[in-house]
Amino acid sequence: MYYLYFATGLALLVSFIVNREKTFKAIRVATNRFVKILPAFLGMLIFVSIVLFLIPDKLISNYLGKNNIFIGVLSASFFGSITLMPGFIAFPLCGILLKKGVLYSVLSAFSTTLMMVGVLTYPIEKEYFGIRLTILRNTMSLFIALVVALMTGIFFGEIF
Amino acid sequence: MKRNDSIKIAGVSVYILFLLASFVYGFNPGKEIGRNFLSFSVDMLKLLPCAFILIGLFEVWVKRETVEKHFGEESGIKGYIWALLLGGTTVGGLYVSFPIAYSLYGKGAKLSIILTYIGASGICRVPMAIFEASFMGIKFTIIRLMVSIPLVILSSIALDDYLTKRSYKIRKAK
């Protein structure tokens, strides 16, 4: 995290030394873009706050462990798609689930959809890239996650 | 658009009133939702100002030709490699990579390459992959990356083809 602040500060400083005008222009561009997308972020935050309340971590872990591989992978993809979790929560959670006996393929479906499919980020993605591309990209990503889960299952000897 | 906006404003107002009422009357689910909202807002506010300042600097300093050369139609396989590297080092989640991808696209990057970048920023962020490997084992992470990276590139190319054939337009930044 801190290296991001450092890099940004450094970039700003260098830019400022080289060309003051351009740096102010950059800050104006940054502010404009940020303000423009803010409503979409607000929408996302509202969705996130509600969905995380309705689907807490506990519910997810209860769900993933109990079923057979097929239903496990599907429900993992579902949860991964509709929630949003920072990696520092997601992977420890996956680690715990793994110890509890949840299959690798189920966890790979969960983590891949978590990272690639964003139902909650839809308001933002749509704002930038339009509805059609957003839906196509997310659908495609869901399929990728299912293939990854399948391959993980094969390599870990969980399928066949 | 006007009508849509007023619906959104109404929705947000109801949400805020609900949270306020929950805190005043001690309604626990509402308080929980409020806390979720706050903690995620704080997480994002830590990242977004930096991301947008870097985007601003990028817009001002980086020439269109440079982006076209490395990420554009002519960049070939190198463009995808750049996209993977850039995605692998982007901090934050999808919500940070969307504005960055959009900026790149505005400067002439190819659609399939920015789609690869978005995918890569999800699946192969380096710090996260290391973190993942420590919890799930290196074998898990390697399989996941080996399978998903080629699929991300292939599906990005397919999506680009499909959308270009149907002359899909992405709104350009002002």
Side-chain angles (χ1 to χ4, degrees):
Chain A
M1 196 68 129
Y2 290 105
Y3 76 88
L4 178 69
Y5 294 135
F6 182 72
T8 310
L10 194 69
L12 261 182
L13 188 68
V14 171
S15 168
F16 189 78
I17 292 168
V18 179
N19 190 329
R20 234 178 246 211
E21 296 288 301
K22 274 194 166 183
T23 311
F24 286 127
K25 199 179 162 214
I27 292 173
R28 269 202 305 281
V29 171
T31 326
N32 281 342
R33 295 252 174 123
F34 187 52
V35 169
K36 235 179 167 178
I37 199 67
L38 220 47
F41 266 101
L42 185 65
M44 176 183 111
L45 285 166
I46 291 177
F47 284 138
V48 170
S49 67
I50 296 170
V51 167
L52 286 191
F53 167 72
L54 296 175
I55 309 172
D57 304 359
K58 262 193 200 142
L59 183 78
I60 297 176
S61 36
N62 283 342
Y63 224 86
L64 299 192
K66 279 183 186 151
N67 296 293
N68 67 37
I69 186 166
F70 184 67
I71 297 173
V73 165
L74 286 185
S75 52
S77 324
F78 172 74
F79 284 126
S81 303
I82 60 164
T83 52
L84 198 78
M85 226 182 254
F88 64 85
I89 296 177
F91 291 121
L93 177 67
C94 287
I96 293 167
L97 292 176
L98 186 66
K99 287 211 183 85
K100 278 189 184 168
V102 177
L103 298 170
Y104 278 103
S105 44
V106 172
L107 294 174
S108 88
F110 180 64
S111 64
T112 310
T113 47
L114 200 56
M115 292 184 277
M116 282 187 77
V117 185
V119 172
L120 291 174
T121 47
Y122 173 80
I124 300 171
E125 189 169 4
K126 169 198 91 169
E127 205 59 42
Y128 285 119
F129 299 111
I131 293 173
R132 195 146 135 213
L133 177 52
T134 301
I135 291 174
L136 284 171
R137 192 196 66 80
N138 281 292
T139 317
M140 211 66 123
S141 304
L142 182 63
F143 279 110
I144 292 177
L146 292 176
V147 175
V148 172
L150 179 73
M151 296 307 281
T152 314
I154 291 173
F155 274 105
F156 280 96
E158 293 168 351
I159 306 172
F160 308 126
Chain B
M1 218 38 199
K2 271 268 157 67
R3 200 168 144 245
N4 221 338
D5 283 349
S6 43
I7 292 172
K8 276 181 197 157
I9 292 169
V12 173
S13 319
V14 168
Y15 178 80
I16 294 171
L17 282 176
F18 168 70
L19 290 190
L20 286 178
S22 305
F23 276 96
V24 172
Y25 296 106
F27 180 57
N28 278 328
K31 283 161 98 175
E32 182 85 6
I33 290 174
R35 272 194 290 272
N36 286 341
F37 182 83
L38 273 184
S39 78
F40 264 86
S41 305
V42 169
D43 274 355
M44 271 175 210
L45 286 177
K46 281 185 200 156
L47 282 180
L48 289 177
C50 286
F52 276 88
I53 286 175
L54 290 174
I55 288 172
L57 290 171
F58 167 82
E59 289 288 342
V60 173
W61 285 108
V62 180
K63 288 197 204 82
R64 199 185 163 84
E65 296 78 52
T66 318
V67 176
E68 276 173 357
K69 190 174 150 220
H70 294 288
F71 295 91
E73 293 293 336
E74 310 302 320
S75 62
I77 192 138
K78 268 195 197 148
Y80 295 98
I81 293 171
W82 275 118
L84 290 175
L85 289 176
L86 192 63
T89 47
T90 298
V91 187
L94 288 174
Y95 58 85
V96 178
S97 52
F98 293 141
I100 296 175
Y102 184 67
S103 244
L104 280 170
Y105 184 74
K107 288 240 181 196
K110 195 169 152 57
L111 185 59
S112 59
I113 290 178
I114 63 156
L115 287 171
T116 303
Y117 162 72
I118 294 175
S121 74
I123 52 170
C124 55
R125 268 176 282 150
V126 176
M128 239 177 55
I130 294 171
F131 195 55
E132 178 191 29
S134 69
F135 278 97
M136 305 295 293
I138 188 89
K139 185 180 169 193
F140 178 83
T141 303
I142 288 176
I143 294 170
R144 193 177 63 72
L145 291 176
M146 286 300 166
V147 178
S148 56
I149 290 174
L151 287 175
V152 164
I153 296 177
L154 289 177
S155 69
S156 301
I157 294 171
L159 264 184
D160 184 348
D161 267 9
Y162 173 86
L163 291 171
T164 309
K165 272 190 199 125
R166 281 157 188 75
S167 53
Y168 186 78
K169 291 272 186 305
I170 292 173
R171 191 174 47 83
K172 294 268 179 194
K174 36 161 181 72

